[in-house]
Structures are given as C-alpha cells and as structure tokens.
Amino acid sequence: MYKEIFKWIIAIISQPGQAWRSLAKKEIKGEEFLSHFIYPLIGLLTAVAFLGVLFTRKEFDVELALKSSIKTLVAAFGGFYLASYLLNEVWHSLFKREKNMKLCQQFVGYSSSLMFLINMVLMLIPEFFFLRIFVLYTFYIVWEGAGPYMQVEEPDRVKFTAIATALIILLPEIIGIALFMLMPGLHF
C-alpha cells in the first residue's frame, strides 16, 4: 500500500500534469481514497513526528514526542478536512459548480502530498529547514490539477489555484500554530 502511495506522490511532484490526467481517469470508489491514501499517509506522518522528536533531541522525552505526534495528527487531519470543506463551499458559491465533497477531498489530498513529504523529512532532519520553501511548488501542482482533474475553465484557473493553494498550505499551519499555543511544553 505504501509503495502505491509513494508512487503517486513521486508522480504528482515530478510530473504533475501527467499525474493529474492519470488520476482523472482512475476510478476511485467510496472511501477508497481516504483509506488507501490519506489515512495511511497521515498515520505515517504522525509516526514520523513521534520518532523525529525521540531521535533528534538530546534527551529521550516520550511526553514531548506524544505531544508532537498529536499536534501533527490533528493539524494534518484538521487541515485536510477543513480545506476540503471550504474548497467544496467555494466550488459551489464562487465557481457555480455542484458540490462534490469526494472530488474536493481527493484534490486536496493529492495536492497536499508534497507538504506531507516535506514535513516528514523536516521532522527527521530539522537542519534542512530551508526545504520549507518548496511548499510553494504546491501552487504549480494545484495549477496543473485544476484543468484536467477539477475541470476548471481557463478564465477561472488563476482564481481557483490561488484559493485552493492558500487553503491547502495555510489551514494545517494555522491549526498547528493554534495547537502549539494550546499545548504547553511543546517548545522545541
């Protein structure tokens, strides 16, 4: 299962246009996307957050590792679901399309792949903080997916890409910051 997940992540990052066209043709049933892509990916991200704190700090602090993994889990899930919900609402109100939560979830999930991967690397190797700049590549991933996957017309493509990218990048960060402030002792 993880081999298939990383195959899609690599495809989305390296050749987003071709990957989005392939994903548009792929038939995804019911909850298959969530149970075969998002949940395992967020689970892996949470495990990496736990292990990252244990192995990158000088002292062995299980409490801090648990807090970090809880923050990562809630930020990833909350950011994913909130971005999907808000994109679905914007999809209906601003772009005058029929609401389709599953389509929005799949779009947000696949578009978030790069962010999940960068977060995993940074949790294991915090010295590579400069990799955060590559999160901006999400804009290009969303741009490439807007046409073939979401069927956004050319005049609305820039507006859709800007809104979707802002939701995908900012919401997990905002939730993470809120949790950071609510969980005392989570200072690294």
Side-chain angles (χ1 to χ4, degrees), residues 24 45 49 181:
L45 182 67
M181 291 189 293

Side-chain angles (χ1 to χ4, degrees), residues 79 101 111 161 168 182:
M101 188 61 163
S111 298
T161 302
I168 291 167
L182 292 172

Side-chain angles (χ1 to χ4, degrees), residues 35-84:
S35 63
H36 288 90
F37 190 81
I38 285 296
Y39 295 158
L41 194 56
I42 291 176
L44 182 62
L45 182 67
T46 304
V48 168
F50 183 82
L51 295 173
V53 170
L54 288 182
F55 295 123
T56 61
R57 301 197 34 100
K58 291 179 182 173
E59 66 277 351
F60 191 80
D61 192 353
V62 176
E63 179 186 353
L64 189 59
L66 283 172
K67 286 180 180 180
S68 175
S69 61
I70 290 169
K71 175 189 159 280
T72 301
L73 177 71
V74 173
F77 263 115
F80 167 73
Y81 278 110
L82 191 56
S84 299

Side-chain angles (χ1 to χ4, degrees), residues 147-167:
Y149 199 78
M150 296 297 283
Q151 305 298 318
V152 176
E153 290 87 20
E154 199 60 39
D156 293 332
R157 200 167 178 182
V158 173
K159 183 171 37 172
F160 174 82
T161 302
I163 292 169
T165 303
L167 291 173

Side-chain angles (χ1 to χ4, degrees), residues 124-152:
L124 293 174
I125 312 169
E127 294 83 25
F128 288 3
F129 62 90
F130 58 88
L131 291 177
R132 280 250 176 247
I133 192 74
F134 291 110
V135 169
L136 297 177
Y137 184 69
T138 302
F139 184 85
Y140 180 67
I141 292 172
V142 171
W143 172 266
E144 285 293 323
Y149 199 78
M150 296 297 283
Q151 305 298 318
V152 176

